[in-house]
Amino acid sequence: MIRFEAVTKAYADASPAVDDLTLEAPTGAITVLVGPSGCGKTTTLRMVNRMIEPTSGRITIDGVDTASMDPARLRRGIGYVIQHGGLFPHQTVERNIATVPLLLGWDRAKALSRARELIELVGLPAALGRRYPAALSGGQQQRVGVARALAADPPVMLMDEPFSAVDPVVRDQLQEEFLRLQSHLGKTILFVTHDIDEAIKLGDQVAVLRVGGRLAQLAPPAQLLAHPADDFVAGFVGRDRGYRALGFVAATLPVRPERTVALGSTVGAGEGWVLVVDDGRPLGWLDTARHPGPVDRSSLALGGTLASAGGSLRAALDAALSSPSGRGVVVDDEGRVVGTATPSDVIAAIEAQRAESAAGGGAP
Amino acid sequence: MIASVWSWLTDPANWRGAGGISSRLGEHLGYSAVVILIAAAIAIPLGLWSGHSGRGRWLISAANAARAVPTIGLLFATSLWLGPHVTGDLAFTVPSILVLVLLAIPPILAGAYAGVEAVDPAVRDAARGMGLTGPQVLRKVEVPLALPLLVSGLRSAVLQVVATATIAAYVGLGGLGRYLIDGLASGRYAVMAGGAVLVSGLALVADLVMAALQRLAASPGLLPPGRRKRRSDRPDAGPDPPHGTTVDVPAGQDREGSRTHRR
Ligand SMILES: Nc1ncnc2c1ncn2[C@@H]1O[C@H](COP(=O)(O)OP(=O)(O)O)[C@@H](O)[C@H]1O
Ligand SMILES: [Mg+2]
């Protein structure tokens, strides 16, 4: 657990960058610091590994005051990932990743084999280990940055906008993999971003900071969306928050049975949209009016999203809205079709869920 | 004229003996090596320290300003000044070495400083953030990254010293400068021209050696992508960029282009 106790940082001749911050980042969870540019997120993060010294207040990790530790030793025990990777251009990827283990005195062979293990863990091809950073794409460099921070298996990780320098598609992919990794590793993570969507997607809890480094709200993402503490948070959380909040509401959808057909079977022109599957898994929708006859893979309409049976109402609504047939495909854990739901089915479920929580006076 | 220079250069008799070309070459190289070693021992640590700490920048400016002092004037001045205090051969050796060291320091100092100073702040920051101590950051990150510029500074110092070590002859010391002075004094222009040819040849060879060293000094990660593999793998391989003999045209320019994450 990382604890900030009344921490203030004032740079010379300026109003404080971080002002009287009290915050707890629980063990094994992702705490996201989010806020507009210049609100003191980086300063907050860097005070944990003493890259910046607080003006006043105390920061403890598992009860130990960081001010009492040697800064270099403290940092070797904390994974640190920065926006542009900060990889050493003169060293191979492997050698970059092995940095902290080597500093800790591991023998070279062990450190390098650990590096190779991590290359795989972060989803990079093993051959990249002997390349130099300049030969890597931005997304690959960020993965190496994460691998390097994980190398000595530190319990605590600090991540400063690690995914903001890559394009949106790669970012999405990195976020997914980051969550998958964290579900195995269970690190205590302090994660900085200026992107509220990223904060909501990744955070177990989200701390919203306002300019001047004051904590505006600390809450789990669902609560932040449903009950912003004030106008600043409501404004920052943004326009689509009603829709995004659905992401935290589990669906209890009345799923309609859906007729499915296999590739190669024959359909008639009057059958409307039919769902084509392979071994129960959806391949796509087919417009029988345009492609009557034997079902051919190339005539499928692709692009509809899938909702999982136990998933969120947001995913269900998105599946219903994005389906060319107007019926969203719901699948089970194995990815097999369970049935479909229309947009009005989902809206009805949302309203039912509302009525229920209003009656219970409970959670959002 | 050219023929007489050629015959002087190729006459084996001119190469042998105490005043022969071989021993003059040896003296010349010896002085140059001593000078470069002393200058490097002073300038490299100073430059690295200044680049690492961001302090003492005035040193680099001061050293650069000192380049404006004419070497030969400085040589006579130091000889006159030291003459009464030092006896024997040293009275001549010390001023020559001193003057040449002063000549060699600015490019080495500038190269070492610029090399460290040019290190990407994000890289330096990441190094500290991972728990490298100050000296470790210098040793494991800044120095390796500074090497191409550092060696480029060294290279320009070598070129200048080898060319300028001829002046040692003015104060009665050996080296290839003797041929210039003696040739001039005795009106044997073939000897003078031959000496000049030898000095240029030596400078050229030294520069080539330094150029090779410069290539070896850079980590493969710092070379532009095309050079990391064999030349022929790169269809768009153009001619080499012109080699700077001063640090003002650093090899580090190439390095910027390969940092894909800093577009
Ligand atoms: N080294 C510094 N010296 C002076 N002011 C600084 C320094 N670093 C950051 N600041 C100021 O502190 C405030 C917070 O900066 P920072 O923590 O980097 O914000 P964020 O990461 O949220 O964008 C900004 O107003 C910034 O200008
Ligand atoms: Mg920042």
Side-chain angles (χ1 to χ4, degrees):
Chain A
M1 184 179 63
I2 308 168
R3 260 179 78 90
F4 291 80
E5 297 170 16
V7 174
T8 294
K9 174 68 193 183
Y11 292 106
D13 319 321
S15 53
V18 175
D19 194 6
D20 193 26
L21 181 71
T22 296
L23 184 74
E24 231 170 64
T27 303
I30 302 174
T31 299
V32 178
L33 298 172
V34 68
S37 173
C39 72
K41 307 178 292 291
T42 296
T43 303
T44 304
L45 193 78
R46 285 163 69 86
M47 284 193 287
V48 176
N49 62 1
R50 294 185 59 191
M51 293 294 281
I52 295 174
E53 299 286 350
T55 309
S56 67
R58 222 164 74 104
I59 298 171
T60 63
I61 298 178
D62 293 332
V64 181
D65 190 343
T66 53
S68 70
M69 299 174 72
D70 171 59
R73 289 213 12 214
L74 172 72
R75 290 170 196 155
R76 287 171 201 179
I78 297 177
Y80 184 40
V81 187
I82 57 177
Q83 189 174 357
H84 289 289
L87 301 182
F88 303 143
H90 62 298
Q91 292 181 344
T92 60
V93 165
E94 255 170 31
R95 190 59 187 64
N96 261 283
I97 298 175
T99 301
V100 178
L102 289 172
L103 281 178
L104 293 174
W106 295 23
D107 80 47
R108 221 185 142 72
K110 187 179 160 205
L112 289 178
S113 90
R114 170 70 178 154
R116 287 189 278 272
E117 205 178 297
L118 280 158
I119 288 173
E120 201 170 314
L121 188 72
V122 298
L124 289 173
L128 278 192
R130 302 232 166 65
R131 309 274 288 273
Y132 287 88
L136 272 54
S137 70
Q140 289 172 329
Q141 292 187 9
Q142 279 316 119
R143 284 168 203 254
V144 175
V146 172
R148 186 172 66 171
L150 284 170
D153 204 15
V156 171
M157 300 269 288
L158 306 175
M159 308 181 76
D160 196 350
E161 312 222 8
F163 307 139
S164 64
V166 293
D167 67 69
V169 176
V170 175
R171 185 184 316 148
D172 221 51
Q173 200 179 340
L174 289 174
Q175 288 168 344
E176 295 293 342
E177 288 180 28
F178 169 64
L179 284 176
R180 177 181 58 82
L181 263 181
Q182 167 66 358
S183 70
H184 299 307
L185 301 176
K187 302 285 181 196
T188 305
I189 296 174
L190 206 53
F191 188 108
V192 161
T193 178
H194 63 266
D195 174 0
I196 184 69
D197 286 323
E198 184 168 70
I200 282 169
K201 181 169 178 185
L202 301 181
D204 293 307
Q205 62 168 0
V206 177
V208 183
L209 298 181
R210 68 173 91 241
V211 175
R214 300 189 73 96
L215 182 61
Q217 186 170 9
L218 174 67
Q223 198 184 333
L224 200 66
L225 291 168
H227 305 293
D230 57 23
D231 289 346
F232 169 74
V233 179
F236 191 72
V237 161
R239 195 167 281 154
D240 297 329
R241 69 186 164 95
Y243 177 60
R244 270 187 280 155
L246 290 176
F248 300 94
V249 184
T252 36
L253 279 177
V255 177
R256 297 165 190 264
E258 181 75 35
R259 173 187 163 218
T260 60
V261 300
L263 283 175
S265 54
T266 306
V267 292
E271 297 180 33
W273 286 94
V274 296
L275 183 59
V276 181
V277 298
D278 177 34
D279 188 26
R281 293 187 176 80
L283 293 177
W285 289 94
L286 182 78
D287 186 359
T288 57
R290 290 177 55 207
H291 305 283
V295 176
D296 173 32
R297 196 182 273 271
S298 64
S299 1
L300 298 183
L302 306 170
T305 59
L306 302 174
S308 65
S312 71
L313 282 171
R314 177 179 172 168
L317 186 58
D318 196 62
L321 291 174
S322 65
S323 169
S325 69
R327 307 192 291 278
V329 179
V330 182
V331 295
D332 64 14
D333 290 343
E334 261 90 63
R336 293 202 167 77
V337 175
V338 178
T340 52
T342 63
S344 44
D345 292 340
V346 182
I347 298 293
I350 292 169
E351 282 175 342
Q353 206 278 337
R354 280 240 160 133
E356 194 182 310
S357 70
Chain B
M1 174 73 199
I2 290 177
S4 61
V5 172
W6 180 251
S7 71
W8 179 78
L9 276 175
T10 50
D11 182 353
N14 288 336
W15 285 76
R16 284 190 296 264
I21 295 175
S22 304
S23 72
R24 291 286 182 233
L25 262 176
E27 287 165 2
H28 202 98
L29 268 180
Y31 287 136
S32 304
V34 167
V35 164
I36 291 292
L37 282 179
I38 296 175
I42 297 168
I44 291 179
L46 268 181
L48 293 179
W49 167 79
S50 179
H52 175 72
S53 64
R55 274 176 290 175
R57 250 171 274 207
W58 59 271
L59 272 172
I60 285 94
S61 324
N64 263 321
R67 282 167 136 162
V69 178
T71 305
I72 192 116
L74 195 61
L75 177 65
F76 291 150
T78 30
S79 300
L80 285 176
W81 175 53
L82 280 177
H85 307 286
V86 196
T87 52
D89 274 355
L90 279 185
F92 301 109
T93 322
V94 171
S96 325
I97 302 256
L98 191 74
V99 165
L100 290 172
V101 164
L102 286 179
L103 184 73
I105 282 181
I108 304 178
L109 192 62
Y113 170 80
V116 173
E117 211 260 345
V119 171
D120 183 353
V123 168
R124 191 180 285 127
D125 190 72
R128 284 211 310 131
M130 280 190 297
L132 277 78
T133 60
Q136 282 173 331
V137 173
L138 182 65
R139 200 152 41 84
K140 293 175 191 256
V141 178
E142 289 172 333
V143 169
L145 290 175
L147 269 186
L149 279 187
L150 195 156
V151 177
S152 152
L154 213 50
R155 180 178 168 189
S156 95
V158 165
L159 191 63
Q160 283 189 45
V161 167
V162 169
T164 317
T166 45
I167 61 159
Y170 277 113
V171 289
L173 288 176
L176 295 169
R178 284 247 59 95
Y179 295 120
L180 303 185
I181 292 178
D182 296 351
L184 184 65
S186 61
R188 291 161 66 208
Y189 296 108
V191 173
M192 220 175 104
V197 167
L198 286 170
V199 172
S200 333
L202 188 63
L204 206 70
V205 170
D207 196 49
L208 283 176
V209 169
M210 291 307 291
L213 190 64
Q214 208 174 347
R215 292 211 161 198
L216 288 179
S219 147
L222 304 181
L223 297 175
R227 289 224 202 128
R228 229 168 284 133
K229 294 190 212 142
R230 287 204 334 273
R231 238 339 118 76
S232 55
D233 292 348
R234 204 165 123 237
D236 61 337
D240 273 5
H243 278 303
T245 48
T246 73
V247 294
D248 304 321
V249 192
Q253 295 291 317
D254 296 347
R255 213 174 56 202
E256 276 297 321
S258 65
R259 273 196 212 130
T260 51
H261 59 292
R262 296 189 76 208
R263 270 162 299 176

